[in-house]
Amino acid sequence: MHISKLKIKNFKCFDEVEIIFDPNFNLIIGENNSGKSTIFDGLRLWQLAFQKFLKDRTNNQQSSFYASQFYSFTIDDISFLRILDFKNLFNNNSKKEFEISLTISNGDSEVILPIIFLKTTKGQVLNFQLCKQPNHRPVASQKISDLFKIPLGSDFKELFLFTYINPIFLLPNKEPQYSKGYILSKLHKAKANEIIRNLLFAISPERKRIKKDEKTDKLIHIENSIKEILKIENINFSKRLEDEESFIKIFSKNEIFNTEVEINQLGSGTINVLNILAVLAYGDYEKFNLNALMLDEPDSHLHFNHQSRLYKHLETVSLDENKQIFIITHNSSLISQFENVLFIRQDQKVINPIPLDEYLENHLKEIDENHYNVMKELSEAKKEKNTLSKQLDDLKNINTPLIYTEGPSDVTILENAFVKLYPQIERPFNLINGSCANHLKNIFENTSTFEKSEQIQIAIFDFDDAYNQWNGVKRYNQIENNPIKCLVKKHQDNNGYLILLPVPEIELIKKQVLINENETFKHKSILEIEHLFFNQEKFKDWFFEEKAPGGNIYLFKGDKYKTEFATLTKNFESEDFKHFIPLFEKIASIINYELPKVEFNA
């Protein structure tokens, strides 16, 4: 069960808008004053008003709503809306009403529940009613009963729980033990930070019995989640009830450092994460047919890496546990890890979740081009990472070595080179786009790379500034010192190898890499894979000469031409690829494969 739509008419910054939500994870972004907070205000106000119509006990089997047509709020009742006068709630103050309507869906069927808020003559209270006409409420009651598969006339009080959590940085020093009804009331009123200890109390072992009492699955989940999100090595929680005053204490202990503090002494970022996890774990929270969690900038006071892990954790929870989560954020850098966003604009009548690419190209590019360029780069990096991950998963059960390159054009060139040089055999290794030198470095430093495949894995680096990445990868020892044959390093424990492109027997290119026979310019060398074609007249237009101290240097046309050039290599002659032979021979020696001898026509 989830909120599929929110329709707002004449409320705060919106004249009229319909917002369509994802059943699980909703990442809400937009410029300042675009209406992001108004969405949360609308949801919270709707829930608070809806509760007024529900019966405590049922005497009328035709409806689960009270018969009274109107209920009222004072300014104090809705203080969370941050207004001094009811007129501030109306987008157009000349109109007498505004409307907040929710559509609740189970995926197949839905029920629309509009609440209409009306001005009063003296303006001291705000009247509201469920549905336009009182006789529409029995119909709504019937539809809810059908949708939730509960008897007509049932108490609807446990249908919906919308919990709003804003960033908190301090906890009260004292927290009494509250009844379940009071705890739920605090959740309804967005005061979860006042009851964190109560939320944790039922699932935490007593402090003096922590080694004897078995932990509940929920507490274990909270502890493991905090360890993962905040990268804390070991943490556990226990409780103590102060008998004389009935105040709850929840203690956090770090087993590694053997330190223990009451949770109000934790850092603000840790308290913020604990607050969210405690609400998600609260037992009575789960009994509601629809529980929606609204988080306002939950990344506040967290390091960027912690922010990213928190968001991914929340997305996983929303999908795995079928919870609906709404997040407002101003931190656009975080959204690159997600597929869709909900971009809020006041000038739109209907707002749908949109793909990240659409947000970048159609919206962020107009708002902030510098930020767009950063986000675009992050988005492309994510796509390449996902593609690589899929490739590795697909290759798990393939019994051939894996060769990574710095980019897709390198893959194309090597594929065509092998076919032309060795047409009589099938290529004995798989080629994989590793994206860039930095990415290759990260891949081959990550132990999980070698857990994905037992096969030999080799990374090929250009012999230019990528030398720094090749040279800087940890836990690798050099096993080949001749740059003509390819400089090679091997992992100390795993079947991982790092290769620099062989220096070709082309005098002008050798001068760009070699100081003498064995000494190179290292990261100042200039040798990209395209340079292996340099000495042929028919390719001269793909290179240009540039003046430099000590003599001219020769560069490939530019990155934007790499794909075009790589595609053309399919039509090259076998002799055009002769400078690739040392590279393939080095790969063959590593994977223990014998290549046939290559002969060219006279």
Side-chain angles (χ1 to χ4, degrees), residues 75-88:
I75 284 289
D76 290 341
D77 292 330
I78 53 176
S79 58
F80 65 89
L81 293 175
R82 307 170 303 282
I83 59 167
L84 299 175
D85 193 306
F86 286 123
K87 68 181 181 182
N88 299 132

Side-chain angles (χ1 to χ4, degrees), residues 105-127:
S105 174
N106 62 6
D108 298 316
S109 305
E110 64 182 29
V111 59
I112 301 173
L113 298 169
I115 296 181
I116 296 86
F117 298 82
L118 304 104
K119 288 181 181 178
T120 56
T121 306
K122 295 183 179 180
Q124 295 177 339
V125 295
L126 181 72
N127 284 345

Side-chain angles (χ1 to χ4, degrees), residues 121-159:
T121 306
K122 295 183 179 180
Q124 295 177 339
V125 295
L126 181 72
N127 284 345
F128 54 92
Q129 63 183 32
L130 179 64
C131 302
K132 281 282 188 183
Q133 302 296 332
N135 60 356
H136 292 171
R137 293 213 295 268
V139 177
S141 183
Q142 178 68 63
K143 287 185 176 181
I144 292 175
S145 299
D146 294 341
L147 189 69
F148 287 90
K149 294 181 171 56
I150 53 181
L152 183 63
S154 297
D155 184 350
F156 285 168
K157 282 191 173 293
E158 293 183 358
L159 284 184

Side-chain angles (χ1 to χ4, degrees), residues 52 71 191 311 354 391 404 476 545:
K52 293 281 190 178
Y71 283 92
K191 295 181 179 180
Y311 275 47
I354 58 174
Q391 282 182 299
Y404 301 74
Y476 282 76
E545 186 177 359

Side-chain angles (χ1 to χ4, degrees), residues 12-27:
K12 298 188 83 172
C13 66
F14 291 113
D15 175 33
E16 182 172 348
V17 66
E18 182 178 81
I19 302 164
I20 299 169
F21 295 122
D22 183 88
N24 299 102
F25 191 74
N26 295 270
L27 194 61

